[in-house]
Structures are given as C-alpha cells and as structure tokens.
Amino acid sequence: MLVLGIETSCDETSASVVENGTSVLSNVIATSKEAFAASGGVIPESAARKQVECILPVITQALSDAHITSKNIDAIAVTKGPGLLGSLLVGTTTARVLSSIWEKPLIGVHHTLGHLTSTWLRNDQSPNPNHQGSSNAQCPMPKFPLITLSVSGGHTELWYRESHTKGILLGETRDDAAGEAFDKGASLLGLPYPGGPSIEKAAQDGDPTAYKFPLPLKEDHMLDFSFSGLKTALKYLLQSGHQRSAAQNFVVGAGGGGQNSSEEPLVLRDIAASYQHAIGRHLIDRLQHAYQQYPDACEVHIVGGVSANAHLRKLLLQTIPNMPARFPLSLAYCTDNAAMIAAAGFFMIQEKTTNASAAFETEASPVA
Ligand code: KG4
Ligand code: ZN
C-alpha cells in the first residue's frame, strides 16, 4: 500500500511516499528555518506564506522521486495538528483538494503519532540522493510493547505503547518542551534558532561538567518533565559574576577548567555543553524510571527533533548500556518530516483507527 504523507505543522513543508508504513520511497523537505535564525523562533505568518508557495512543488517532487504518479497512491495522510494554524491549513486544505480530485481516501494524523512511528521508517528503496542515513533494510522491526520518549520543540511525552495506536501516556512536560529548552537556551546564549543544533555545535569540545545545573524533579517519581528550572539556572549563570549577560563577553576559545568560579570568565562552549548535558540527564533519568516501572517493554525508543542530539545518544549508551534503545534510522526522520505521517496513516488504517474520511478537525496549538 502506497501512502502519500503531507506535513506542514511548523516551518517545514514536507511530502513523502511510503510503502506499507516502513519503506520510504521519497521524502522531500523544504524549510524556511534559515529565515528565522535571528528572530529566535518561527514567525507563523511568514512560515505559512512560504508553505503556500512550496507545497505543490514539494508534492510533485515526492511523487517524481518515488517514480510514481497520483494514480499509484492508495491514500493521503496529512498532519491535522497540533501546530501553527496557518501552516496546518496549508497542508490540510491541499490534502483535502487532492483527495477529492484524485478520489483517494484522506487520513488526518496527530503529529505526535507521526513521531512515535518514525522508528519504523526504512529508506532501503529510496531513490532520493539527498537522503541522510544508511541503507537499513536489514534492521529488524521494533516489537511491542515498548516505551517511547518523544522530544520535540512542541511536546515532551513518554508513552507505554501496546500497538501503534494504543498506549498509555506515562508523563509529559509540566512547562517547556525539551526542544523549547534548547531554543530558549540558545536565545539566552545569543545563538541562532533552532537552538538544538546551535547548542550542539557550540558545545563541541566543551566540558559538560564545567557548570552545575540541577536535575529537575529529582525526588519526584511521577514520570513528568520540567525544563523551566534549567532555563532559569542558565539565565542566572549568565547574569552572575562580572555582569556577563551578553554573548560577546564570552571567552570562546579557552577551556573552563571544570570550575564555576565567579573570578573566571564564562566560556561559551562549556556553558553550552553543560546545559545540553543537563537536558540530556533529565531525559535519561525519566527514561530509566519508566524502564524500571515497565520491565516488560521490549525496547525504548527516543524520537522527535531532540533525538538528533549526538550527546544525548552517547549519554544514554553510557548511563544505561543494557537498555535496548532505538532512535530513528536517519536524522531526517528525527525532525519534522512527511514520511512519519505517511507511516502513521498506514498503521491507522491497518489498526482500523480511521475510516479514512476527510472529516477531521485541524487542531492548532500555541506558537512554539
Ligand atoms: O520534531 P521537531 O522537528 O519539530 C517539532 O515537532 O517541534 O523538533 C524541533 C525541535 C527544536 O526545538 C530544535 O531545537 C530541536 O528539535 N532539535 C534539536 C536538535 N535538532 C533539532 N535539539 C537538540 N539537538 C539537536 N541536534
Ligand atoms: Zn515534530
């Protein structure tokens, strides 16, 4: 079964053709992120205008990369929310029109379900030379039940899942999302949006133990998350000492030497590394608790934009080496993409949680 996926929940415009929920035949992603580097976040109106311009070329490219025409498509899956309202409307309106003209069933997919499904994606048949990731046809498929941590700019959720569409929400963030903590932290540090990749880059060769950050919800055995304290700690660190509140006052080259002395100049790479480390420790601490509470889980998955973070992956391996952990096979499947939406649409049909009708609500969420 071939599903055309369409994803426009934030600043990306993406279309993808996926066969049987796993095999990615094409995955085209156009982004306007660079336009928002200086503004510290997405400007919804600008993002939606860009999406209006590129949605049809992106869909055409996805069909062409997959070497198919609209006649070969069995269904269309589109992100129905949550996300930016204008952006969502570009995707859902286009999908409704195509579904009507091409006479194909339409499935509205929750964005988080897309992320949860991203660990099923394989790009073994991809003819798209721009694909990141390896040929991974041989990688065994995940087995349920499993625990999935979904960490993006808009949400942070921990799930125990019995199937693609059945599960229990074990915990979620009480304030900022993990990606938001990176984005707001980057803004405080004077680094460009999106904050995750900026902080990761700035943290290269930095000392993750140079500055101490608290471990959020340390004594709390609920499986929730909280990132606002880390952001505040970063703010106070930057305000501390020698009125070093502006990024240009950082010493970029020198090492911090592992101390937190008010006499020492703040070192950007050490602060970035320590802040990134603190976010990673909190995520892994919650995962560890969840895995202890649900030992029947076959695997633990980490998905969403923040799962692209190399330090998080390394830290997880070091902290809980025996936990069977899995990340999306390509970095392109961590951040927003239409392949995960197409795959989720397929599994919704397979698990009969949709009647594949056009009747779904577009759900908007506050600006990330
Ligand atoms: O899943 P995603 O593309 O979009 C949402 O659904 O929000 O996630 C975007 C978030 C942003 O906050 C971004 O800063 C973060 O993921 N992100 C990262 C990395 N790449 C993207 N965070 C940490 N390290 C990264 N390499
Ligand atoms: Zn997302």
Side-chain angles (χ1 to χ4, degrees):
M1 182 179 208
L2 291 181
V3 179
L4 169 68
I6 297 173
E7 153 65 37
T8 62
S9 64
C10 192
D11 56 339
E12 270 95 5
T13 308
S14 179
S16 166
V17 179
V18 177
E19 187 170 18
N20 296 332
T22 60
S23 187
V24 182
L25 304 191
S26 64
N27 187 35
V28 180
I29 305 173
T31 175
S32 52
K33 272 201 173 30
E34 300 78 45
F36 306 121
S39 63
V42 176
I43 300 165
E45 174 71 15
S46 310
R49 281 172 185 267
K50 192 82 199 152
Q51 285 164 319
V52 169
E53 283 169 28
C54 61
I55 183 84
L56 288 178
V58 163
I59 292 172
T60 307
Q61 186 69 45
L63 294 177
S64 151
D65 283 358
H67 302 297
I68 59 163
T69 69
S70 57
K71 290 194 176 57
N72 307 110
I73 295 289
D74 296 296
I76 299 172
V78 62
T79 304
K80 65 174 182 176
L84 304 175
L85 184 58
S87 296
L88 287 167
L89 283 172
V90 175
T92 52
T93 308
T94 307
R96 282 174 203 267
V97 171
L98 294 181
S99 147
S100 163
I101 299 171
W102 294 345
E103 298 179 345
K104 306 290 178 185
L106 179 60
I107 308 145
V109 175
H110 193 285
H111 183 75
T112 311
L113 183 63
H115 279 300
L116 296 183
T117 315
S118 61
T119 34
W120 267 258
L121 295 173
R122 304 290 180 274
N123 51 10
D124 45 300
Q125 295 179 37
S126 171
N128 184 347
N130 296 325
H131 257 306
Q132 299 177 43
S134 53
S135 174
N136 38 46
Q138 306 310 320
C139 183
M141 282 296 164
K143 287 197 179 74
F144 292 106
L146 51 86
I147 291 168
T148 307
L149 171 66
S150 188
V151 267
S152 80
H155 68 272
T156 299
E157 292 178 1
L158 193 53
W159 286 88
Y160 175 83
R161 298 165 64 211
E162 288 148 8
S163 74
H164 284 283
T165 56
K166 284 202 190 73
I168 310 163
L169 182 63
L170 303 178
E172 61 190 323
T173 186
R174 294 181 185 171
D175 38 60
D176 292 342
E180 212 177 343
F182 274 106
D183 295 337
K184 289 179 175 172
S187 179
L188 288 170
L189 289 165
L191 297 170
Y193 175 84
S198 297
I199 289 185
E200 183 164 22
K201 193 165 162 222
Q204 263 172 16
D205 305 321
D207 176 1
T209 62
Y211 300 97
K212 301 277 171 277
F213 283 90
L215 180 63
L217 305 179
K218 197 173 164 197
E219 307 301 333
D220 190 323
H221 289 286
M222 301 288 288
L223 293 167
D224 282 342
F225 301 82
S226 171
F227 295 95
S228 60
L230 292 180
K231 184 187 63 191
T232 307
L234 176 63
K235 197 169 157 191
Y236 286 150
L237 172 65
L238 296 177
Q239 284 171 354
S240 72
H242 319 284
Q243 291 84 43
R244 296 156 298 190
S245 57
Q248 54 267 38
N249 289 347
F250 286 120
V251 175
V252 177
Q259 68 288 307
N260 203 349
S261 156
S262 59
E263 303 305 315
E264 295 286 327
L266 294 177
V267 180
L268 175 60
R269 70 183 185 200
D270 289 341
I271 300 180
S274 303
Y275 185 66
Q276 172 178 256
H277 187 65
I279 294 173
R281 277 181 69 217
H282 181 34
L283 293 174
I284 290 167
D285 175 60
R286 301 287 100 175
L287 264 184
Q288 201 161 15
H289 276 104
Y291 192 52
Q292 278 160 4
Q293 289 179 28
Y294 294 87
D296 64 324
C298 301
E299 293 184 5
V300 172
H301 292 192
I302 300 99
V303 300
V306 177
S307 71
N309 189 272
H311 182 73
L312 173 68
R313 293 175 178 220
K314 201 172 84 191
L315 195 61
L316 182 71
L317 209 67
Q318 283 169 357
T319 318
I320 333 175
N322 299 326
M323 190 173 75
R326 195 193 282 253
F327 291 84
L329 280 169
S330 159
L331 290 184
Y333 305 151
C334 295
T335 44
D336 288 349
N337 66 88
M340 68 185 193
I341 302 301
F346 170 82
F347 290 117
M348 284 170 72
I349 296 171
Q350 202 182 47
E351 296 183 5
K352 298 188 172 48
T353 52
T354 174
N355 55 9
S357 88
F360 58 83
E361 297 288 314
T362 303
E363 295 167 18
S365 66
V367 177

